Amino acid sequence: MSAHRNIGRRLALASCAAALTAFAGQAFAQPRAPASAPASPKAGAPIDLTGYWVAVVSEDWRHRMATARKGDYESLPLNANGRRTAGDWNLDADNAANMQCKAFGVGGLIRQPGRLHVTWSDDDTLRVDFDAGTQTRLLEFASTAQPSGEKTWQGFSRAQWQRPPQAGGGPQRAQIGNNTGPIAPGGGGRGQRGGPELSPALAEGGSLKVVTTNFRAGYLRKNGVPYSESASITEYFQRLPDAANGDVYLLVITIIEDPTYLNEPFYTSTMFKREANGAKWNPTPCRTAPPPAGTQQTRAPEPLPR
Amino acid sequence: MRAAPKSAPSLRRATAARRVAAAALASLVVVSGGVRAQSGSPFDGTSPARASYSASDKDARSGMDRAERTVDGVETYHVQGNVYMLIGAGANVAVQTGADGVLVVDTGGAAKRAAVLAAIRRLSSGPIRWIVNTSAEADHTGGNETISQAGQTVNGNPAAIIAHENVLARMTEANRPITELPLNTFFEPARDFYFNGEAVFLYHPANAHTDGDVFVYFRGSDVLVSGDLFTTTQYPVIRADQGGGVDGLVASLNQMLDIAVPKYLQEGGTYVIPGHGRVCDEAELIDYRDMVVIVRDRIRNLAAQGMTLQQVLATKPALDYDGRYDNPRGPWTSAMFVEAIYRDAGKTTSGKQRAAVK
Amino acid sequence: MRALVLCGALTAALAATSAHAQIDITGEWATKAHEDFDDRVPGDVQGDFTGVPMNDAARRFAESWDVTRVNLLEHQCQPYNVAHIFRGPMQFRIWTEKDPATQSIISYREYLGTYQQFRTIWMDNRPHPPDYVPHTNMGFSTGEWHGDILTVTTTHIKKEFYRRSGIPSSDRTTLVEHYIRHGNLLSHVMIITDPVYLTEPYLNSEEFVQMERGNQNWLYNCEYVMEVPMDKNRVPYYLPGMNPFIQDYAKKFGLPFEAVFGGAPTTYPEYEPKLEQLMKGR
Amino acid sequence: MRMNWKIVLPAACLMLMAAFGVRAHHSFTATYFEDREITIEGKLLQFMFRNPHSFVHIEAPGDDGQMHRWAVEWGGAGALAGQGVTNQTLRAGDVVKITGNPGREAGDYRLRMQYLRRDSDGFEWGKKPGETFQ
């Protein structure tokens, strides 16, 4: 046993050393990589997502700001089962069954009008609070974090930073624009393979990829359009380059694949604008306003494939 | 006159569209073949004029960069074919150059006359033969004397100044010196002549901005010079005291629309040098026409209900265009435009509304 | 064992920092209209103004808008401008123009199948033209990379519409685009400022998927014809307050017209409870 | 990210049809009364097979009993071509019966094509699946 333990320790230390060496190599071999290697996802975050963000509902307004009528499936690539299930939506029944948060689960929450409050709960966990429905999502960077046995509205989210190649040793030549400085003479003037020096802007930023599992079935939209527990939900959080007027925007790209109810991947991208503080932070319980009376006839699916 | 019949423009458009569609394939092959991007390709959404705006800012036609094309604040810009626009001299100045010499449409304000002449000279050392005045406005005719005296007709006189006869009458009333006066006048609806290898048409729309307006069409270069019948900087100036009227103005815009033909999908083709502002094509001309018609009809409708001018102004009848064309500090404001149309409407409405105008 | 766990965590942390994203946006892309489909593809009844930060001038224009104006000879082939065209169903191709001496990118080029439009996005730091040059449907564009995001600024855009329901755009519009690629998905963000018709930036984002088989039927010839017999110079419009169709969208979907026509305030979460109050009893 | 190309590719192709068949500068729904239909019968004067939309002009009586030139708006050339319609499908002089949605603009003699039949050879459009683009 002790021999085994020794072997285990030796293996662990060796692999650790290897990992550290690889990490050091990556961090220092490239002149444009960050000067100091990120010690943790928090310290090495390529973009700052923390702060208060408000949703700007300029798209899908009638489905997001209002509650659309039952049967209004505009834009959704629903299959027959999805349409049938959405057609059975009954808001009163949901409320009676204490299922008010079904429209505030991970598959639909990002589309709710509301604000995000993003903070680091520890070095490996980015916390996203939503005032709409008073929901919290924990985005876990550490592979040691594992989902609990119980499925929740927000599920378990695995996070990973994605960095531009320049930040991690990508091409050092000028093929990607943003050229500054004089043309290198003879194609090798800077010890490169020709081309002007690259702009530091190429090493800016990055994005946060989040894959969520272990969630309860919920609604893509307030009016009972379903997603199932077996759906695959992938998100990319992008902080956009600051606007000329000082506005800072966050784009959240959401890809939901759910063969149970959808016949193709469902794509949305949701815009948020940064706010200076939480003055307008307004937590509200899970609640869906009643739709207008009647049922909406959605036009035939048209070009979207059946 | 040789103006095309009403149906011609749509026929020309159809032909142009077919030409464009046929050429599109070839264009695609070339452009997608990795050939270095050049603006001015038939379908790249840019005009030949825009093609001249390169990184070095060199004008493809004159070879001059922006600094070389600027004299005392007056900038030269190659529009198309033989025609250039001079910007910064008050009203826009159009210059046509070629083997026969130089033709100038409007001469800008007096303050910039020397700069205008210098800018023309940078474009051509040929004799300045003709000057056309699109109206009697001082910012269109202030350089008449300087440019005319610097030029020479074939018989040795200073360059001839052409205008509608009402322009001569107004400039005479204003005691402008004879060396500034357009002594080559005409009274008919249109006149044409051939200069620098292309037909040049002078059209006189009746009672528009004034009663002496002329717009010029260079048929070979395919450039219209509208004078103050069309600008991109303000509402049209309607001078009732000089015989102007909104219906005549609309008619003049429709006449220009009949002549203008887009190259492809309302882009390029015939270019228009406005009295003030940037170079345009038919798309902007029709938006401007639509605006004048819509605002005119709103005001007439309100006047017909017996509203006073103040009541009409209170409804902001041009609200949807004020953000674009109103210049609250003048010289021509939205309120002046509305009043001009209102009083124009008064001419044709009942005595009751005429009383309300007073 | 603790050492193994520690090592696993450290390795995971490194992995988390080492992923590289795509930056090559060239190729052929097709719209996925999973947002605002009815407005973006077939078009719905008149009067969808939702989500647009329109000002009073834009409202007046929309009140006067008669959709049959597009039948006029000079309007019927007017393309969408660059601040609008990405909203429609579209395939478009992106490719690069490179300097043979340095292999650096001089420009990105786009061919947009809808209305057969070409764009050049200059990457060589050239200035935008002076005001007096002609404006075009695609405008004048310059771009720069910020990491994996291509940011494009476009000026000199011809006036057109933000919506076919009659929300006008002006020739003073500035469009800032962000191109973001993840795998076979291209997200395209548009931030539109227009001092003439908008009270604040109008935000749009669209998704495109990479086409495996491209270059299908990408030509668009539009011929000017007298589509509907009418006076050639007639300008269809409605006098203020006389547009019989402006509330059709609000009526069809049971929405209060003042909310549909409300502009920027209706795009923020604070408006949700107000809207619920307005909708009570409808 | 996993992508189901079996679905995405047809989607792209169908979107392409939409681009040329549906997206015009105006919305059909906003231009015509989609909840109303009328039928006219008369001699075909002109068939404009084109973009953004094709048009068929028919000489047929109106409500007033007088003959009028009716403009019937059809699909764009790209969309119709995908349904087997060519610029030779209809010819001037053909007698056709057309059912369509009337325009919202009072005084316009215009329809949006829903169904067309030519008795001389029984040609029909608008009933079979795939022959409508919306």
Side-chain angles (χ1 to χ4, degrees), chain C residues 55 162 168-174 192-199:
Chain C
N55 64 11
Y162 297 121
S169 65
S170 85
D171 58 357
R172 294 187 178 163
T173 291
T174 297
I192 303 163
T193 53
D194 182 347
V196 179
Y197 291 121
L198 300 178
T199 58

Side-chain angles (χ1 to χ4, degrees), chain A residues 212-281:
Chain A
T212 302
T213 56
N214 212 49
F215 48 81
R216 298 174 68 179
Y219 294 149
L220 294 172
R221 286 188 181 159
K222 296 174 174 182
N223 65 338
V225 179
Y227 63 90
S228 75
E229 290 183 349
S230 56
S232 150
I233 300 181
T234 304
E235 298 163 291
Y236 295 92
F237 289 70
Q238 305 271 171
R239 177 174 166 156
L240 303 178
D242 295 359
N245 66 353
D247 286 348
V248 181
Y249 295 106
L250 170 69
L251 178 74
V252 181
I253 301 162
T254 307
I255 304 155
I256 299 180
E257 296 178 86
D258 186 3
T260 306
Y261 296 124
L262 304 176
N263 54 25
E264 66 169 323
F266 173 50
Y267 305 103
T268 56
S269 48
T270 310
M271 290 285 282
F272 295 84
K273 187 164 70 175
R274 186 163 202 162
E275 292 188 320
N277 52 50
K280 296 181 176 176
W281 182 254

Side-chain angles (χ1 to χ4, degrees), chain C residues 97-234:
Chain C
E97 303 290 347
K98 293 192 174 187
D99 184 327
T102 66
Q103 285 304 298
S104 61
I105 290 177
I106 297 166
S107 66
Y108 283 93
R109 301 270 293 156
E110 290 183 357
Y111 173 69
L112 298 92
T114 312
Y115 297 108
Q116 204 171 302
Q117 296 290 301
F118 279 88
R119 284 184 77 188
T120 300
I121 298 167
W122 297 104
M123 301 294 291
D124 57 2
N125 304 314
R126 71 182 58 194
H128 281 234
D131 292 341
Y132 55 72
V133 307
H135 288 208
T136 63
N137 297 309
M138 294 298 108
F140 185 95
S141 303
T142 54
E144 60 180 355
W145 282 100
H146 293 275
D148 281 351
I149 299 177
L150 176 66
T151 299
V152 178
T153 301
T154 303
T155 59
H156 296 74
I157 305 169
K158 270 185 177 165
K159 85 179 290 294
E160 201 246 332
F161 298 93
Y162 297 121
R163 292 267 179 90
R164 288 177 294 182
S165 53
I167 305 175
S169 65
S170 85
D171 58 357
R172 294 187 178 163
T173 291
T174 297
L175 169 67
V176 172
E177 298 162 274
H178 300 290
Y179 291 78
I180 301 163
R181 177 177 181 172
H182 291 290
N184 292 305
L185 182 69
L186 183 68
S187 295
H188 176 259
V189 175
M190 295 195 293
I191 300 171
I192 303 163
T193 53
D194 182 347
V196 179
Y197 291 121
L198 300 178
T199 58
E200 61 182 61
Y202 177 33
L203 312 180
N204 281 160
S205 58
E206 304 79 36
E207 272 56 52
F208 297 86
V209 293
Q210 191 162 42
M211 297 173 70
E212 205 166 70
R213 299 190 195 90
N215 205 28
Q216 309 163 70
N217 184 20
W218 282 39
L219 296 180
Y220 183 90
N221 62 315
C222 178
E223 293 188 29
Y224 298 79
V225 299
M226 187 58 79
E227 292 180 336
V228 178
M230 64 165 75
D231 169 10
K232 178 181 178 299
N233 295 321
R234 166 185 152 201

Side-chain angles (χ1 to χ4, degrees), chain B:
Chain B
M1 79 177 245
R2 303 178 194 169
K6 281 270 175 194
S7 60
S10 58
L11 293 174
R12 284 205 302 270
R13 287 189 181 93
T15 312
R18 274 192 295 273
R19 253 200 330 268
V20 161
L25 275 167
S27 165
L28 275 177
V29 171
V30 172
V31 177
S32 59
V35 174
R36 176 164 175 169
Q38 289 296 339
S39 302
S41 150
F43 308 104
D44 68 357
T46 63
S47 70
R50 291 288 297 284
S52 70
Y53 205 81
S54 63
S56 63
D57 192 18
K58 274 205 186 305
D59 180 295
R61 168 92 171 200
S62 67
M64 296 186 289
D65 64 26
R66 192 173 179 183
E68 294 170 314
R69 289 187 276 115
T70 306
V71 184
D72 187 21
V74 174
E75 246 180 282
T76 305
Y77 178 68
H78 177 230
V79 177
Q80 189 161 260
N82 302 328
V83 180
Y84 295 81
M85 177 172 80
L86 307 188
I87 314 98
N92 289 331
V93 175
V95 181
Q96 181 224 29
T97 64
D100 299 338
V102 178
L103 184 156
V104 182
V105 182
D106 289 337
T107 56
K112 290 289 183 180
R113 55 193 171 185
V116 168
L117 179 59
I120 292 169
R121 280 303 170 219
R122 288 195 181 185
L123 291 174
S124 169
S125 57
I128 300 169
R129 300 288 195 197
W130 300 101
I131 298 168
V132 178
N133 286 158
T134 60
S135 74
E137 303 283 358
D139 60 345
H140 290 253
T141 58
N144 277 8
E145 180 183 66
T146 303
I147 310 302
S148 169
Q149 296 297 319
Q152 189 178 60
T153 60
V154 289
N155 58 15
N157 294 334
I161 307 174
I162 311 173
H164 187 270
E165 63 182 10
N166 291 340
V167 170
L168 174 59
R170 302 214 179 280
M171 291 176 69
T172 305
E173 287 167 14
N175 297 318
R176 303 276 294 267
I178 191 161
T179 46
E180 293 185 8
L181 298 181
L183 300 179
N184 292 51
T185 60
F186 68 102
F187 61 89
E188 62 272 32
R191 169 170 292 192
D192 51 59
F193 60 98
Y194 209 82
F195 192 67
N196 284 329
E198 64 181 315
V200 181
F201 293 80
L202 311 184
Y203 293 104
H204 165 62
N207 306 103
H209 160 54
T210 66
D211 60 7
D213 306 308
V214 165
F215 70 85
V216 182
Y217 179 53
F218 294 96
R219 187 163 69 178
S221 299
D222 201 8
V223 174
L224 273 165
V225 185
S226 70
D228 280 353
L229 297 168
F230 168 62
T231 81
T232 66
T233 58
Q234 62 185 4
Y235 287 111
V237 178
I238 300 166
R239 296 206 185 285
D241 60 330
Q242 294 183 23
V246 66
D247 290 338
L249 187 95
V250 169
S252 74
L253 293 168
N254 287 333
Q255 191 178 358
M256 284 188 266
L257 283 170
D258 284 346
I259 294 169
V261 180
K263 186 179 198 174
Y264 175 67
L265 296 187
Q266 289 307 111
E267 196 112 281
T270 308
Y271 279 97
V272 185
I273 298 177
H276 299 264
R278 70 164 192 272
V279 176
C280 295
D281 58 25
E282 187 189 56
E284 283 115 336
L285 201 54
I286 188 170
D287 286 329
Y288 200 74
R289 188 282 308 267
D290 292 354
M291 176 269 290
V292 176
V293 168
I294 289 167
V295 174
R296 176 198 65 185
D297 292 0
R298 286 175 186 165
I299 294 168
R300 285 193 172 163
N301 174 262
L302 297 171
Q305 296 171 31
M307 283 196 183
T308 65
L309 174 60
Q310 290 313 313
Q311 290 170 322
V312 170
L313 286 168
T315 68
K316 298 183 178 176
L319 174 64
D320 33 357
Y321 302 100
D322 282 348
R324 182 61 185 78
Y325 296 112
D326 187 17
N327 301 306
R329 290 188 301 279
W332 185 251
T333 66
S334 175
M336 294 161 77
F337 175 56
V338 171
E339 179 173 357
I341 295 174
Y342 181 86
R343 297 194 183 285
D344 189 277
K347 290 179 194 167
T348 56
T349 52
S350 72
K352 179 183 168 213
Q353 277 120 27
R354 266 205 302 281
V357 171
K358 296 193 178 106

